[in-house]
Amino acid sequence: MKFLYSLVLIGSAAFSLNSCKKYEGEGGKSSITGKIKIIQKLYVDGDLTQTESFNGAKEDVYLVYGEDDLIYDDKIEANYDGTFTFKYLQPGTYTVFAYSEIFHKGNDATNNDDDYYTLEPVSQTFEVKKKEDVDLGTITLIK
């Protein structure tokens, strides 16, 4: 009986030590900051006529934990000045991305409105260390 009790105690101790490994995600003391800048292009009849640049207020910014994820794990909205911060992260690999809207000109047929836009991600993948504040700088999106 003592042998069985000792075996269970050792097994549970080994399991608890193994399960304490920290993975990417919330619960740490690291953070990621950056800023979104928008370059807006105005097209008339398929031709670029004007370009404006401004801060990316209210743009959605996505965060992926680790390298194997295909779906984002966290999403925030950029502040009025385009800045964003993901706080309280564990050390590990992360990817931050946001979407640009890319214009594609159609076939130029008369009275044929076949111009279209596609969403294309602009991303950065990087390592975060323990208690590190990572500044990504400016991420430029085209709209």
Side-chain angles (χ1 to χ4, degrees), residues 1 37 62 79 91 109 119 125 142:
M1 187 65 171
K37 178 181 173 184
Y62 303 88
N79 294 327
L119 292 177
T125 301
I142 298 170

Side-chain angles (χ1 to χ4, degrees), residues 1-11:
M1 187 65 171
K2 286 184 181 181
F3 175 73
L4 184 60
Y5 178 72
S6 298
L7 187 60
V8 169
L9 186 62
I10 290 171

Side-chain angles (χ1 to χ4, degrees), residues 85-97:
T85 303
F86 292 98
K87 295 181 179 181
Y88 311 116
L89 299 173
Q90 295 285 353
T93 302
Y94 293 89
T95 300
V96 168
F97 71 93

Side-chain angles (χ1 to χ4, degrees), residues 36-134:
I36 300 292
K37 178 181 173 184
I38 304 293
I39 295 177
Q40 188 169 34
K41 297 181 176 185
L42 175 63
Y43 292 90
V44 175
D45 294 329
D47 296 321
L48 179 63
T49 60
Q50 188 176 357
T51 302
E52 296 290 328
S53 176
F54 51 89
N55 293 328
K58 299 184 73 93
E59 282 293 321
D60 289 331
V61 183
Y62 303 88
L63 181 65
V64 178
Y65 304 159
E67 297 176 287
D68 299 329
D69 237 343
L70 298 176
I71 301 173
Y72 69 89
D73 296 294
D74 199 359
K75 177 179 104 169
I76 59 171
E77 191 175 86
N79 294 327
Y80 70 94
D81 60 353
T83 59
F84 63 89
T85 303
F86 292 98
K87 295 181 179 181
Y88 311 116
L89 299 173
Q90 295 285 353
T93 302
Y94 293 89
T95 300
V96 168
F97 71 93
Y99 288 106
S100 282
E101 292 178 17
I102 306 300
F103 176 77
H104 301 278
K105 193 170 181 174
N107 294 325
D108 286 337
T110 306
N111 295 328
N112 186 4
D113 190 18
D114 59 350
D115 298 341
Y116 64 97
Y117 289 87
T118 57
L119 292 177
E120 296 183 14
V122 176
S123 66
Q124 291 186 26
T125 301
F126 49 90
E127 289 286 326
V128 174
K129 296 182 176 106
K130 190 173 186 179
K131 296 182 182 180
E132 181 182 25
D133 296 324
V134 176

Side-chain angles (χ1 to χ4, degrees), residues 31-35 133-138:
S31 67
I32 301 167
T33 60
K35 184 172 185 173
D133 296 324
V134 176
D135 185 359
L136 298 178
T138 302

